[in-house]
Amino acid sequence: MNGPKTLIEFMEMYKTEEDCRQTLYNHKWPEGFVCPRCGYGRAYAHKRRLLFECAGCGHQTSLTAGTVLHKTRVKLKKWFLAIYLMGQTKKTVSAAELSRQLGIAPQTAWTMRRKITEAMAKREGELMITGAAEMDEAFVEGKSTGIRGRGSLGKTPVAVMAGISRGGGLSRAHM
């Protein structure tokens, strides 16, 4: 991931609403606009709204359609910051804290938090290993040489689990 690692980096990366729009556009259409209805590759952007109108069939599609941001009235910069804050903290961020940090209504913060949490849980579910799996452990690093296995001092245990694909190979791996 090439995302910001610190809050300062985040603020530099997403200074304006336009920076957020451009990031969302690049994520949604990495190869350029593609109409969801006809597949045409050119559109006209509406200046005041996050809408794109297909130059081929006239279908209008929102930049936020199909995302947790769908039909939002909250600025993209606040959404991006909420996602960043929730993704960077080890403990959960409360809706009250989001409300205070972003300067939004508590109910809006609660809705945003719920949508972000659901999206994160869905993504985690897609990465889970299902079905048959193989697991092994090893010890890495350490200062002592010549001593192998569990008795060696200063070594860190590492466990790896990988799913078995239909073809008999290994698929997703988790450490």
Side-chain angles (χ1 to χ4, degrees):
M1 298 275 307
N2 295 334
K5 292 179 180 38
T6 66
L7 186 56
I8 298 296
E9 286 180 19
F10 174 86
M11 299 306 278
E12 289 173 0
M13 192 176 235
Y14 303 110
K15 290 178 185 169
T16 66
E17 194 73 5
E18 184 55 38
D19 292 338
C20 298
R21 262 190 228 110
Q22 191 60 49
T23 299
L24 195 56
Y25 181 91
N26 292 340
H27 182 73
K28 187 167 184 165
W29 297 302
E31 305 295 322
F33 177 84
V34 177
C35 178
R37 181 182 285 167
C38 71
Y40 193 70
R42 211 174 87 225
Y44 304 105
H46 286 258
K47 293 186 187 226
R48 294 201 175 132
R49 297 173 63 199
L50 300 174
L51 285 177
F52 290 87
E53 185 172 329
C54 176
C57 69
H59 175 71
Q60 290 184 346
T61 186
S62 168
L63 186 57
T64 59
T67 71
V68 294
L69 311 169
H70 187 64
K71 292 188 177 180
T72 187
R73 290 188 213 132
V74 177
K75 294 199 176 282
L76 293 179
K77 191 171 178 180
K78 290 185 179 189
W79 269 101
F80 278 40
L81 183 55
I83 293 167
Y84 176 80
L85 291 172
M86 289 184 67
Q88 291 297 312
T89 56
K90 290 184 180 182
K91 294 182 179 180
T92 184
V93 177
S94 69
E97 181 65 14
L98 273 182
S99 173
R100 190 179 68 75
Q101 292 282 345
L102 302 177
I104 56 177
Q107 181 62 37
T108 303
W110 183 87
T111 302
M112 288 173 68
R113 183 185 176 283
R114 183 184 53 81
K115 286 182 171 187
I116 294 166
T117 303
E118 285 176 4
M120 289 172 140
K122 180 181 176 191
R123 179 71 178 139
E124 269 184 24
E126 292 171 358
L127 298 174
M128 295 200 50
I129 296 173
T130 56
E134 287 191 20
M135 185 172 167
D136 200 2
E137 64 179 14
F139 291 86
V140 294
E141 287 286 323
K143 296 178 182 173
S144 56
T145 57
I147 302 172
R148 299 178 60 167
R150 296 183 189 276
S152 57
L153 298 172
K155 294 202 176 200
T156 304
V158 177
V160 179
M161 180 181 283
I164 300 173
S165 66
R166 291 183 181 163
L170 297 177
S171 62
R172 291 201 165 100
H174 295 278
M175 293 179 81

